[in-house]
Amino acid sequence: MVTATPDARPRGTRLPRLARRRQLLGAAQEVFVAQGYHAAAMDEIAERAGVSKPVLYQHFPGKLELYLALLDEHAEALVKTVRDALESTTDNKLRVQAAIQAFYDFVAGEGEAYRLVFESDLRNVAPVRARVERANQQCAEMVAQVIQEDTNAPSDEAYLLGMGLVGMAEVSARYWLGQHRAIPKETAEKIIARLAWRGISGFPRI
């Protein structure tokens, strides 16, 4: 028997398909973030969403498909956040700061969605690994493109720099959050941006 959780939504409300899908994804995110993929149960997700299990399966044929839908959504959100940051200015120092801030914003976002992208307990599952790697690659490629345009660096070197910046931003943001935000977010962003800029700015511009 499924026991209703304190956060379970009341049943009986009919919603348009897209609204229902959004509701189900929201409930699934809460359960996956709290318990991880393996411990999460479709019964609990349905109960959290306030729907029957058959309704949940009408939208998502299985737990993996539900997880991948969430992962796609948040991986795309990360890429868009980084793209918007890089396009927000033509000043490269400010671009570095904006790119770092994009990762801190993503990690600090509501619902701890970053855990699905950066801390998934399914990283060894091919479709999950592919999505996470694609998001990292897209972010690195965007940074690399800016570096290459301004320095004329070979593409493989620019991509390595891009991946380095992405890795620095991700790891430092997760560490900062894990330390319970002991350093103010803006201060942490500036520290890492200063480190990144001092390295990248050393490459001669064309």
Side-chain angles (χ1 to χ4, degrees):
M1 178 178 295
V2 177
T3 302
T5 64
D7 297 323
R9 281 68 164 178
R11 297 191 182 190
T13 304
R14 293 185 62 85
L15 294 174
R17 183 171 182 81
L18 289 179
R20 177 68 76 192
R21 178 182 172 87
R22 167 54 42 208
Q23 179 193 39
L24 296 174
L25 287 172
Q29 179 174 323
E30 293 173 4
V31 176
F32 283 135
V33 166
Q35 301 183 17
Y37 177 83
H38 295 292
M42 292 293 271
D43 285 345
E44 182 175 356
I45 293 170
E47 188 72 20
R48 183 71 63 96
V51 302
S52 65
K53 197 171 175 182
V55 169
L56 178 56
Y57 279 112
Q58 286 174 8
H59 291 264
F60 302 98
K63 187 166 72 166
L64 180 59
E65 288 79 7
L66 178 53
Y67 190 89
L68 292 176
L70 269 175
L71 181 56
D72 282 337
E73 179 178 293
H74 293 300
E76 289 168 8
L78 171 63
V79 172
K80 182 181 185 303
T81 300
V82 174
R83 180 183 297 112
D84 290 346
L86 293 174
E87 293 177 352
S88 65
T89 178
T90 57
D91 183 301
N92 285 331
K93 183 177 182 180
L94 296 179
R95 272 178 172 157
V96 170
Q97 294 175 3
I100 298 295
Q101 182 181 346
F103 279 87
Y104 277 75
D105 287 345
F106 183 72
V107 166
E110 293 184 7
E112 297 184 278
Y114 79 94
R115 295 188 184 278
L116 302 174
V117 181
F118 297 144
E119 299 178 1
S120 172
D121 54 350
L122 285 186
R123 290 293 288 267
N124 61 332
V125 175
V128 173
R129 183 173 63 250
R131 283 163 168 80
V132 173
E133 290 178 352
R134 182 169 64 243
N136 284 331
Q137 289 167 359
Q138 288 176 324
C139 292
E141 286 167 359
M142 288 187 290
V143 174
Q145 182 178 354
V146 173
I147 293 172
Q148 194 169 16
E149 288 173 353
D150 281 0
T151 67
N152 206 25
S155 59
D156 55 346
E157 293 182 11
Y159 181 78
L160 180 61
L161 288 169
M163 189 59 77
L165 179 62
V166 166
M168 180 189 302
E170 175 199 331
V171 172
S172 67
R174 289 168 55 200
Y175 173 80
W176 165 79
L177 191 65
Q179 296 301 303
H180 308 292
R181 312 182 190 220
I183 300 174
K185 178 172 174 287
E186 185 176 347
T187 301
E189 292 166 354
K190 287 181 178 179
I191 290 172
I192 300 303
R194 189 180 307 128
L195 172 64
W197 176 244
R198 286 183 176 178
I200 292 177
S201 64
F203 289 82
R205 299 186 63 177
I206 56 175

